[in-house]
Amino acid sequence: MLLNNRYQVLKTLGSGGFGETFLAEDTQMPSHRCCVIKQLKPIQNNPQIYQLVQERFQREAAILEDLGGSSDQIPTLYAYFQLDSQFYLVQEWIEGDTLTSKLKEQGLFSEGAVRDILVNLLPVLEYVHSRQIVHRDIKPDNIILRHRDRKPVLIDFGAVRESMGTVLNSHGSPTSSIVIGTPGYMPSEQAAGRPVYSSDLYSLGVTAIYLLTGRQPQELETDPRTGEIIWHNHVMDVSPTLKSVIDQAIQYHPRDRFASAKEMLDALQGGVSPIPPTVPFLTQPPTSSPPPPTINLDTPPNHKSNSRNSILMASAIAGGFIGASVIIGLTLTKSSQPSLDKPLVTSQIPQTSKPQVAEENKASLSPSGSSINKIPQPQKESNPTTVPSSFYFLADSAYSNSQTAAKQVQALQTAGYPQAGMFWIPEYPNLSGQELFEVYVAKFSDRNSCINLLKTYGQDNSQAYCAFASQDANTSADRLYFKDISTPSTPSVATTTVKDYAWLSERLVTDSDLDAKDGFELDIMRNSIFARHGRRFDTPGLQKYFDSQPWYRPRYSPKEFPANLLSEIERQNVEYIAKYQDRYRRRHFKK
């Protein structure tokens, strides 16, 4: 079937009361790119209603175009058209897995994975709400984990479907005769046709519960007095912080939930927002059902133009815990990538969000936000409430004064690294005895994520390195320089040089990676996958080996190790290496 003399339908993705969804090929593009086509039809068929639906459809399509062009976590709207009294949206095809299919494939999500999804989606929701839009159908089926960067993408906004339900009421005024949402995932006020911004937070909270428990909302009990979902008894090893955040998000009454997505993100991150959002935050989000006032925001950065920034965000969100006495957290407009080997000076840096740090540690900005007038010197006594005990960071450079360091931070942010910042090295005595300001590209809670970005970033700055920072002066800094590792395309060099098998979490292993290695090294390769997730070992030789690795942080005994911590690639590699070892032993026995 060829739609609009252009789109070749490949298959039907789904169908329902509003129409059908197709996967199609754009025959008028050189790449014949794939796209998703949503066919929508009004529930009533008369000329007056059709004109109203047409007006609403065009308005909602324009909104979708704006949203998709402002965030890479919302599909781009390519086109829309009408054909045979039906309406069509042509949108970007997101290659990935819905959260529903991912859970069925790999089992329950870990707390870290759920946190990553929330931290990555809440800034997107904040931006959507700033445009006075409520998504209205957030659920596991409408969140896709994109294959290329594992970022969650929000699909299927409810406003266009609602426009298809336009009817005339008894007074002859247009209204919608349908409620958009999914039973179990939408709160009571939305079911009554009065959604507010916190309705989306409720749906996101219920989605998180599904990922942690594997149970649909209808399968969970509710408190007969309050109507709240009872779910704690279905999970293990979930921190009080995450439980508390989810509990507040799913409160029965909107006034008891978070006032905004930003507030929920702050609570999830302990009151500090270390990861600049992909789009601007609302400073004073509306909390009630009346239409919110118009809020003027700076144009959000276009994140579709810089693939390196996408990689950075995916890596940093995977585990970023920022805490330092000086934090630069500005969301910036993007420019082309300059050379980063030396300090750069930029200007016209718009301030789109307020850094969530102590007042005395904020950088003073001019009213226009175009330059830094003053950066306070850090206090020599670290504040345990704002400085984490340890983290990994990708180092860019170090400077003797904060002003020069701040200029480099701005240059990095403008170049497409919004997580860039700086801290005072004496805060972490295991790094250096010098009183320098360390400029970093991003911070991470695990070594592997830092190394992943180092492989790309080091091509611009060959002096870059990943380091483990700790407030414990006796802890090894565990530095790894770009020159010590290979590019992602040749991980075997890295394993030969530093015996870093982190790449086993990134790509599938082959025989060429295993040939010429003895049995013990094969054991090390296979078990390094478990070790990086904190497993202990019964074999003394293995345990002794991993105890000597600075990145090793044992947490689980062999019997208590949660299998669902392993990714699909890691599980396949474990099985492949084990089978290879069997073949190796058989060959060795024959000899």
Side-chain angles (χ1 to χ4, degrees):
M1 179 169 59
L2 192 66
L3 290 174
N4 209 32
N5 294 318
R6 175 170 182 171
Y7 302 102
Q8 181 67 54
V9 173
L10 302 178
K11 65 177 180 179
T12 300
L13 298 175
S15 59
F18 299 101
E20 293 185 278
T21 303
F22 308 103
L23 176 63
E25 201 174 65
D26 189 343
T27 62
Q28 294 184 20
M29 294 294 289
S31 63
H32 280 234
R33 69 184 177 192
C34 285
C35 53
V36 172
I37 298 183
K38 294 185 179 180
Q39 176 199 68
L40 301 156
K41 46 190 175 184
I43 64 171
Q44 287 191 0
N45 186 20
N46 70 64
Q48 188 177 6
I49 293 295
Y50 185 85
Q51 184 176 357
L52 290 170
V53 170
Q54 183 180 44
E55 292 171 357
R56 291 190 172 193
F57 174 75
Q58 291 173 344
R59 182 177 67 245
E60 300 302 340
I63 291 172
L64 286 179
E65 180 186 21
D66 183 44
L67 292 178
S70 300
S71 172
D72 75 336
Q73 288 169 260
I74 298 172
T76 301
L77 180 70
Y78 293 146
Y80 73 96
F81 58 91
Q82 296 163 230
L83 190 65
D84 297 331
S85 301
Q86 296 184 342
F87 299 83
Y88 294 84
L89 291 174
V90 184
Q91 291 183 297
E92 175 187 8
W93 163 243
I94 305 297
E95 291 190 77
D97 303 300
T98 66
L99 294 183
T100 302
S101 61
K102 199 68 178 173
L103 185 139
K104 291 178 180 177
E105 172 193 333
Q106 71 175 24
L108 300 181
F109 282 58
S110 66
E111 173 174 345
V114 172
R115 278 179 174 268
D116 290 346
I117 290 168
L118 295 178
V119 167
N120 213 352
L121 278 180
L122 285 168
V124 180
L125 271 182
E126 182 73 11
Y127 174 63
V128 169
H129 294 166
S130 78
R131 305 307 301 267
Q132 301 148 39
I133 299 163
V134 182
H135 184 284
R136 280 181 279 187
D137 202 11
I138 293 175
K139 59 182 178 180
D141 282 335
N142 284 343
I143 299 171
I144 294 178
L145 289 180
R146 187 163 48 203
H147 283 160
R148 65 177 169 85
D149 57 10
R150 298 184 182 180
K151 290 173 70 173
V153 178
L154 196 56
I155 66 170
D156 207 10
F157 284 70
V160 175
R161 284 178 289 148
E162 185 185 47
S163 67
M164 295 299 113
T166 302
V167 296
L168 297 178
N169 61 21
S170 58
H171 302 289
S173 302
T175 185
S176 180
S177 64
I178 56 177
V179 172
I180 298 298
T182 300
Y185 287 95
M186 61 176 168
S188 58
E189 75 278 358
Q190 185 175 333
R194 294 189 295 273
V196 295
Y197 297 143
S198 68
S199 303
D200 283 345
L201 304 184
Y202 178 97
S203 301
L204 189 60
V206 178
T207 297
I209 292 173
Y210 170 74
L211 300 179
L212 292 168
T213 67
R215 296 171 181 264
Q216 294 289 352
Q218 295 87 344
E219 299 175 297
L220 297 168
E221 297 179 7
T222 55
D223 188 318
R225 296 175 295 107
T226 63
E228 293 165 11
I229 299 172
I230 300 172
W231 64 280
H232 290 194
N233 56 328
H234 295 289
V235 296
M236 297 177 60
D237 299 326
V238 175
S239 68
T241 299
L242 183 58
K243 286 182 179 178
S244 175
V245 168
I246 294 175
D247 282 343
Q248 185 169 346
I250 63 169
Q251 288 292 303
Y252 186 84
H253 200 285
R255 66 167 172 258
D256 297 323
R257 301 178 204 142
F258 294 104
S260 68
K262 181 183 183 302
E263 184 178 304
M264 184 173 172
L265 179 62
D266 287 346
L268 189 65
Q269 296 177 326
V272 176
S273 180
I275 302 175
T278 58
V279 287
F281 273 130
L282 271 170
T283 54
Q284 292 183 344
T287 58
S288 58
S289 55
T294 300
I295 300 176
N296 295 323
L297 296 172
D298 292 332
T299 302
N302 187 343
H303 291 267
K304 293 181 180 294
S305 62
N306 194 323
S307 60
R308 179 174 292 129
N309 193 32
S310 297
I311 296 172
L312 172 63
M313 284 300 293
S315 299
I317 290 173
F321 292 95
I322 298 279
S325 55
V326 180
I327 298 177
I328 307 296
L330 303 176
T331 303
L332 303 171
T333 56
K334 300 173 64 175
S335 66
S336 60
Q337 175 73 58
S339 171
L340 301 175
D341 289 336
K342 59 186 179 180
L344 303 171
V345 179
T346 60
S347 60
Q348 298 303 319
I349 308 297
Q351 183 184 15
T352 55
S353 63
K354 206 171 185 179
Q356 301 295 311
V357 294
E359 193 69 33
E360 64 271 16
N361 288 337
K362 292 181 183 177
S364 299
L365 300 180
S366 66
S368 65
S370 61
S371 63
I372 294 183
N373 297 328
K374 178 182 177 184
I375 296 184
Q377 296 293 323
Q379 301 299 318
K380 292 192 177 183
E381 294 183 2
S382 61
N383 184 348
T385 63
T386 60
V387 180
S389 60
S390 62
F391 60 91
Y392 285 94
F393 67 94
L394 177 52
D396 172 75
S397 50
Y399 302 95
S400 58
N401 64 80
S402 61
Q403 287 78 12
T404 306
K407 289 179 180 178
Q408 180 66 353
V409 169
Q410 293 180 22
L412 289 170
Q413 292 176 335
T414 304
Y417 297 97
Q419 289 80 15
M422 68 184 186
F423 61 85
W424 196 44
I425 287 183
E427 294 275 0
Y428 298 93
N430 76 320
L431 293 176
S432 169
Q434 299 177 341
E435 295 188 356
L436 296 173
F437 290 87
E438 181 74 72
V439 175
Y440 60 86
V441 180
K443 290 186 179 182
F444 310 91
S445 63
D446 66 283
R447 185 172 183 263
N448 289 351
S449 297
C450 189
I451 293 173
N452 287 342
L453 182 59
L454 177 62
K455 292 175 182 177
T456 301
Y457 181 79
Q459 297 173 21
D460 289 318
N461 182 359
S462 60
Q463 302 303 312
Y465 62 87
C466 286
F468 176 70
S470 173
Q471 292 180 325
D472 181 0
N474 298 318
T475 301
S476 170
D478 184 23
R479 296 174 190 256
L480 180 64
Y481 288 83
F482 173 72
K483 60 186 178 182
D484 295 330
I485 65 174
S486 68
T487 61
S489 61
T490 55
S492 57
V493 177
T495 62
T496 303
T497 306
V498 296
K499 291 196 175 181
D500 177 15
Y501 295 118
W503 58 271
L504 288 167
S505 300
E506 302 167 7
R507 69 166 178 86
L508 294 176
V509 70
T510 65
D511 279 1
S512 62
D513 297 313
L514 307 179
D515 289 341
K517 291 180 170 60
D518 60 28
F520 183 69
E521 190 167 2
L522 291 172
D523 272 343
I524 293 298
M525 289 185 71
R526 175 168 53 85
N527 286 290
S528 68
I529 294 174
F530 296 100
R532 292 195 180 279
H533 290 287
R535 176 179 159 180
R536 297 183 184 274
F537 302 91
D538 290 331
T539 306
L542 281 174
Q543 189 63 52
K544 182 178 179 181
Y545 174 85
F546 288 116
D547 283 342
S548 68
Q549 306 304 306
W551 50 264
Y552 183 53
R553 302 288 183 270
R555 294 177 57 195
Y556 305 100
S557 69
K559 294 181 180 179
E560 296 174 342
F561 181 79
N564 61 5
L565 289 182
L566 300 186
S567 68
E568 183 61 28
I569 287 178
E570 290 172 329
R571 279 195 290 269
Q572 291 184 40
N573 282 340
V574 166
E575 294 174 4
Y576 191 95
I577 297 173
K579 291 177 181 178
Y580 183 94
Q581 286 179 286
D582 288 340
R583 299 198 305 271
Y584 171 87
R585 293 188 185 101
R586 286 196 294 270
R587 289 197 305 268
H588 186 74
F589 180 76
K590 289 179 182 179
K591 292 179 181 179

